[in-house]
């Protein structure tokens, strides 16, 4: 019987038929969601043989919701995500002009989904602008609730801006040009530590080699610099037996997780020139935005970039496609569903269903390795076969039993290098 996912003392407690709310999304959302759901259900069936399944529960937000009931983000949708803990969504239209600044940000802040999880890895066969994309395999933990995304800003020439500029001049001696818009950049100890704690725990759980704290603390010493310092405190005080710093190990961490830090602008260079040196990245909100998109460009673009927003304390999580709604392609069965498919794989992994998650990723890698791709990749890949959104999903499902047979022989769910030999 369908039942709720709950949070116990040891973490998520997931029934065999969990109720998972979903938002199809706007624009291309219905196209990519239909494709992704087919993949999710097939992977769960193949791995668990009918012993587990997902009870999907649709809720609404964005333009679709506004057309239905006049609300961009109904309270019922938020309450459903609160009740059932884990959900997934497609891309949403954000209203232009006044009102809600961003539906995505609103969902994250309302549910206090403080960790934005963005795994980035290259799949064999995908064209890349760099020479060594196969070395890119990183997981970004981007703080989701603070920094400039807190939305604490006032408009240039407004009464509020004048009052704030005057107050800062009088109380702190800060001279700000009177024609300035002004914003605040809050970085808290609680927000920073819980983000870094989640990143280190992820590294421990999944056997990752290092956690890099990315910051701009050389300039913003009491916000970004504090983030760095608090990150080291978490490692030292809460994970003393699992972690070691660069100074302590001299570059030879042994079997411990290396904790290091890099200035944000240098990191944007390092991920291009030395990607093999980095594994898990913990960073502030704005830095994480830049880094995740820059890394996505190295491995095939935003169409294959998964995302998840998680509160590891309460268990709440909403996984999502990281791209926009692309309304000109809506209903054409044309675009790449990879972002929402991989986001769903991460959702399954978060739920503890690692076998299904691994099967989805292996199937996607196998399909792309066979050069069966949607238009965005087909235009970049010679001798590829261009397929529709639905056909791409069907190709993943077609390869699942092959990968399962290969896994039985090899002991691992990875795509064989020449999968056609097994078809």
């Amino acid at each position: 019987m369908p039942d709720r996912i709950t949070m116990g003392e040891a973490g998520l407690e997931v029934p065999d038929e969990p109720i998972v709310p979903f938002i199809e999304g706007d624009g291309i959302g219905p196209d990519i969601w239909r494709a992704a759901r087919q993949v999710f259900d097939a992977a769960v069936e193949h791995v668990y043989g009918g012993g587990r399944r997902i009870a999907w529960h649709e809720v609404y937000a964005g333009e679709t919701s506004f057309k239905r009931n006049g609300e961009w983000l109904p309270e019922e949708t938020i309450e459903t995500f609160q009740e059932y803990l884990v959900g997934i969504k497609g891309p949403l239209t954000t209203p232009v002009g006044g009102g809600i600044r961003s539906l995505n940000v609103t969902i994250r802040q309302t549910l206090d989904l403080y960790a934005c999880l963005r795994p980035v890895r290259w799949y064999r066969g995908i064209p890349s602008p760099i020479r060594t994309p196969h070395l890119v395999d990183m997981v970004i933990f981007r703080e989701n609730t603070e920094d400039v995304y807190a939305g604490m800003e006032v408009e240039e020439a407004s009464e509020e801006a004048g009052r704030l500029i005057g107050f800062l001049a009088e109380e702190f001696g800060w001279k700000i040009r009177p024609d300035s818009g002004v914003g605040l950049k809050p970085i808290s100890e609680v927000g920073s530590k819980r983000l870094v704690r989640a990143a280190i725990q992820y590294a421990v759980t999944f056997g990752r080699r290092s956690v890099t704290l990315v910051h701009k603390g050389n300039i913003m010493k009491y916000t970004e610099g504090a983030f760095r310092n608090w990150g080291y405190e978490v490692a030292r005080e809460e994970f003393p037996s699992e972690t070691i710093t660069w100074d302590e190990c001299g570059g030879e961490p042994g079997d411990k997780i290396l904790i290091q830090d890099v200035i944000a602008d240098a990191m944007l260079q390092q991920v291009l020139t030395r990607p093999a040196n980095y594994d898990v990245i913990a960073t502030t909100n704005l830095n994480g935005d830049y880094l995740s998109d820059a890394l996505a460009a190295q491995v095939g673009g935003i169409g294959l970039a998964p995302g998840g927003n998680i509160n590891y304390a309460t268990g709440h999580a909403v996984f999502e496609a990281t791209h926009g709604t692309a309304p000109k392609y809506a209903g054409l069965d044309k675009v790449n569903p990879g972002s929402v498919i991989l986001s769903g794989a991460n959702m399954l992994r978060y739920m503890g269903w690692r076998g299904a998650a691994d099967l989805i990723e292996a199937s996607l890698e196998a399909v792309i390795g066979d050069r069966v791709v949607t238009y965005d990749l087909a235009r970049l890949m010679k001798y590829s076969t261009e397929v529709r959104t639905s056909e791409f999903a069907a190709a993943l499902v077609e390869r699942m039993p092959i990968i399962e047979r290969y896994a039985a022989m090899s002991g691992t769910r990875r795509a064989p290098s020449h999968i056609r030999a097994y078809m």
Side-chain angles (χ1 to χ4, degrees), residues 64-144:
T64 303
S65 174
F66 187 77
K67 289 178 178 178
R68 285 173 57 93
N69 54 31
E71 295 182 85
W72 289 96
L73 184 59
E75 185 62 29
E76 179 184 356
T77 296
I78 294 294
E79 290 174 352
T80 300
F81 282 127
Q82 286 175 327
E83 179 179 0
Y84 294 106
L85 293 190
V86 178
I88 188 169
K89 56 178 280 298
L92 296 178
T93 301
T94 290
V96 176
I100 298 174
R101 288 168 54 98
S102 166
L103 298 175
N104 295 322
V105 171
T106 301
I107 291 171
R108 296 167 194 164
Q109 293 185 342
T110 302
L111 297 174
D112 196 25
L113 305 177
Y114 61 82
C116 179
L117 178 69
R118 295 286 296 270
V120 185
R121 57 165 286 204
W122 180 75
Y123 289 92
R124 177 171 47 87
I126 295 178
S128 171
I130 64 173
R131 289 185 300 173
T132 57
H134 61 283
L135 299 179
V136 178
D137 185 1
M138 303 179 208
V139 180
I140 298 174
F141 277 76
R142 168 189 171 192
E143 203 290 320
N144 232 358

Side-chain angles (χ1 to χ4, degrees), residues 192-250:
S192 299
K193 284 188 171 182
R194 67 181 183 176
L195 185 280
V196 175
R197 181 180 300 116
I200 296 175
Q201 185 58 60
Y202 184 97
V204 171
T205 300
F206 292 102
R208 293 281 180 157
R209 308 179 316 275
S210 68
V211 175
T212 304
L213 310 171
V214 177
H215 61 92
K216 192 62 179 169
N218 57 329
I219 303 299
M220 293 171 278
K221 300 182 185 303
Y222 304 119
T223 52
E224 302 260 343
F227 173 86
R228 168 197 179 275
N229 296 339
W230 288 324
Y232 277 116
E233 283 184 20
V234 169
R236 183 173 59 251
E237 296 173 3
E238 301 182 27
F239 298 90
S241 61
E242 295 96 343
T243 64
I244 192 167
T245 66
W246 188 269
D247 290 341
E248 291 170 335
C249 71

